């Protein structure tokens, strides 16, 4: 639990000093719940457990949201496809969570985005039938959100004529549509939500440590009583044990690996997770003219075209993936598929020259008999393969809180705790007072002597925690300037990422704390040196470490670019794995973080 004399913000700072203290806690304390995995489900589970008053630790092998949870379509949605498949309980569950996130838990991170369902052209009878069919589905979507959901948070749908649709989305080919239906879903920066979840858990007393890889379980007889951990920021130091009464593995596409660690005592997985690769393209806002997103049917998946600040996100594919899970690669075939599908409805076809960024993620789907991953269920499961160890897998980003509550309910029963989940009523850091801050954003800008656009940008990324970044900018004018090569972001955001958000490497900042790696044509290469300079001042890097951080980032971008020219998954994967992960290569840092003056 948090010391009452310490503010919630201070207790939630994932600073370099905090990492040292939390590492010490991992070695010295026994926890009620130890969560493996720093994605959205793991961070959500840590928060759920901490909010019940349990002693909690979270360990993550790489960075927060380093895997699937930073590579989604950036939507908090109920899932029209699940409605069509009559999985009504999934739609109800997801729309309830969408309402909670957009109105109570994280209104600074989840906001409405309009989306058009284009109605294909055809003979009059077919047009009427399609409008009635899709209209009924979207109306049911609204009913579930308004009648059964917990706080709508989104406007109602509306039918549009062909002219109305093209007025909202002029880039639609007139001959390709007969009209459209506009509805709303939630948009989120997925990685920022995960970081905020982890920080909120930390503010309630959880120990949160990244770059801490679990290499095995600690057992007594046939019970798991902890894990063995390797600190990848100090690879020359020996592994150490972390003791816990219950271990929760929220490891997504790595779930099968957890059971494999217990194969020597005959433990079978009990559930299997299948990885489905989803590729997204990012193009500049100027490449497509429109004020709303699109949702399109394709032969193998659902395709979204979603406005994203000064950009569009186009995705996704849905294909089986059995290669490197840490860095799934997008191939030239994936990119061509997405371009071909979106170009069927655009008046000016997109080409590879329009692409600013590409990213690929893996969805953890519960394995079934379906041949296509797009047919597998998005439901989740909680499984206890051995006493003291619980696995949670499957599900979707939107319902992370439900998954977290389910697995911690089971852990709490085992621990003899009767306190229920409270996360449905718990605003995340930055949410308290957000509506008032947004209303007063022009006054805030005047008081701090910055443009209103800067305050709006910060509020939409940090909520009411923006005051801390504004204070940093006032104290150090060098932090008030835009980051080189990425004028949409401020130098202060890089410093804040290292000071309070647990960022340990340049890649963490350019890829997840910001989205520079996918939002710029140079993929962040022009920003890496400036970012390393700023981070180095916070983390105590010498010249050699800064240069290596930049070198690694440039190599990673080069490998990704090369993989995206390869014809298929096998060759794309071979190109991508040519650039090793930066974690585990920090032995020469020689920095005593306890001596850094913050």
């Amino acid at each position: 639990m948090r010391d009452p004399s310490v503010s919630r913000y201070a207790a939630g700072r994932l600073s370099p000093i905090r990492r040292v203290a939390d590492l010490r806690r991992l070695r010295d304390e026994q926890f009620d719940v130890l969560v493996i995995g720093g994605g959205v489900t793991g961070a959500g589970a840590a928060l759920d457990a901490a909010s019940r008053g349990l002693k909690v630790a979270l360990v993550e092998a790489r960075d927060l949201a380093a895997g699937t949870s930073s590579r989604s379509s950036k939507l908090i949605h109920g899932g029209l496809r699940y409605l069509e498949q009559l999985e009504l309980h999934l739609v109800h569950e997801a729309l309830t969570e969408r309402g909670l996130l957009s109105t109570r838990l994280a209104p600074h991170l989840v906001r409405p985005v309009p989306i058009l369902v284009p109605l294909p052209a055809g003979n009059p009878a077919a047009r009427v039938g399609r409008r009635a069919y899709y209209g009924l589905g979207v109306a049911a979507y609204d009913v579930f959100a308004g009648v059964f959901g917990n706080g709508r948070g989104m406007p109602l749908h509306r039918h549009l004529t062909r002219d109305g649709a093209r007025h909202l989305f002029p880039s639609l080919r007139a001959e390709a549509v007969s009209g459209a239906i506009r509805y709303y879903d939630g948009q989120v920066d997925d990685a920022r939500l995960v970081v905020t979840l982890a920080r909120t858990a930390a503010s309630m007393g959880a120990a949160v440590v990244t770059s801490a890889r679990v290499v095995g379980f600690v057992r007594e007889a046939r019970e798991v009583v902890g894990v063995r951990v390797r600190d990848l920021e100090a690879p020359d130091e020996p592994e150490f044990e972390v003791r816990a009464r219950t271990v929760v593995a929220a490891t997504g596409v790595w779930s099968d690996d957890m059971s494999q660690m217990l194969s020597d005592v005959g433990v079978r997985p009990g559930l299997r997770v299948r990885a489905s690769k989803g590729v997204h393209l990012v193009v500049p806002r100027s490449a497509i003219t429109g004020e709303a997103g699109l949702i399109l049917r394709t032969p193998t998946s659902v395709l979204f075209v979603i406005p994203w600040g000064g950009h569009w996100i186009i995705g996704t594919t849905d294909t089986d993936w059995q290669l490197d899970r840490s860095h799934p690669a997008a191939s030239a075939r994936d990119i061509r598929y997405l371009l071909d599908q979106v170009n069927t409805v655009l008046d000016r076809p997109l080409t590879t020259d329009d692409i600013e960024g590409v990213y690929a993620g893996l969805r953890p789907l519960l394995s079934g008999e379906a041949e296509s991953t797009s047919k597998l269920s998005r439901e989740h499961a909680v499984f206890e393969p051995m006493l003291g160890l619980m696995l949670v897998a499957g599900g979707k980003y939107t319902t992370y809180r439900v998954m977290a509550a389910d697995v911690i309910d089971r852990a709490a029963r085992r621990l003899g705790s009767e306190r229920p989940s409270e996360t449905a009523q718990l605003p995340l850091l930055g949410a308290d007072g957000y509506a008032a801050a947004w209303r007063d954003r022009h006054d805030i800008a005047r008081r701090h002597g910055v443009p209103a656009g800067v305050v709006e940008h910060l509020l939409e990324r940090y909520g009411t925690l923006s005051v801390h970044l504004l204070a940093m900018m006032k104290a150090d004018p060098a932090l008030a300037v835009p980051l080189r090569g990425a004028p949409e972001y401020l130098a202060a955001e890089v410093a804040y990422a290292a000071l309070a958000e647990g960022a340990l490497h340049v890649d963490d900042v350019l890829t997840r704390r910001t989205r520079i790696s996918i939002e710029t044509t140079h993929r962040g290469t022009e920003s890496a040196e400036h970012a390393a300079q700023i981070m180095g001042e916070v983390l105590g890097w010498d010249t050699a470490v800064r240069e290596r951080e930049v070198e690694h980032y440039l190599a990673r971008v080069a490998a990704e670019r090369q993989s995206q020219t390869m014809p298929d998954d096998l060759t794309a994967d071979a190109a991508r794995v040519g650039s090793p992960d930066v974690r585990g290569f920090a032995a020469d840092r020689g920095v005593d973080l306890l001596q850094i003056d913050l």
Side-chain angles (χ1 to χ4, degrees), residues 119-135 159 162 174-179 181:
L119 302 174
N123 62 60
R127 291 202 301 267
V128 170
R130 291 190 185 102
R131 185 176 287 276
Y133 177 75
Y134 287 114
H159 282 258
R162 175 185 293 170
E175 67 274 16
V177 297
S178 60
I181 302 171

Side-chain angles (χ1 to χ4, degrees), residues 361-491:
L362 300 177
R363 305 179 192 90
L365 304 179
L366 296 183
S367 185
E369 298 300 322
E371 294 183 4
S372 168
T373 58
S374 63
K375 296 178 182 178
L376 292 177
S377 173
R378 297 310 301 271
E379 291 193 74
H380 69 272
V382 176
F383 178 66
E384 191 170 3
M386 190 172 183
L387 191 64
L389 173 64
M390 296 177 186
L391 307 182
V392 55
K396 54 186 287 188
Y397 193 104
T398 301
T399 56
Y400 80 87
R401 197 192 63 81
V402 176
M403 297 171 64
D406 282 355
V407 71
I408 300 302
D409 278 345
R410 189 158 176 174
R413 286 195 298 271
R414 181 176 186 273
L415 296 170
S417 172
E418 298 181 359
R419 187 170 171 180
S421 175
E422 299 179 357
T423 53
Q425 309 296 326
L426 180 62
L428 304 185
L429 287 178
D432 285 328
Y434 171 71
W438 183 260
R439 182 194 63 216
D440 299 335
R441 61 193 184 277
H442 294 286
D443 291 336
I444 295 172
R446 280 193 293 271
R447 288 200 304 272
H448 288 87
V450 299
V454 168
V455 173
E456 291 176 352
H457 167 80
L458 294 177
L459 284 173
E460 289 183 336
R461 288 172 49 74
Y462 307 93
T464 50
L465 298 182
S466 298
V467 295
H468 302 290
L469 286 96
L470 291 168
M472 291 169 62
M473 293 160 59
K474 184 176 182 180
D476 184 356
L479 298 179
V481 303
L483 192 67
R484 286 199 293 270
E488 294 180 0
Y489 295 96
L490 299 166

Side-chain angles (χ1 to χ4, degrees), residues 192-208:
R192 291 216 59 79
L193 180 58
V194 174
V195 170
T196 306
L197 282 166
R199 292 189 62 196
T200 307
S203 76
M204 305 191 77
V208 177

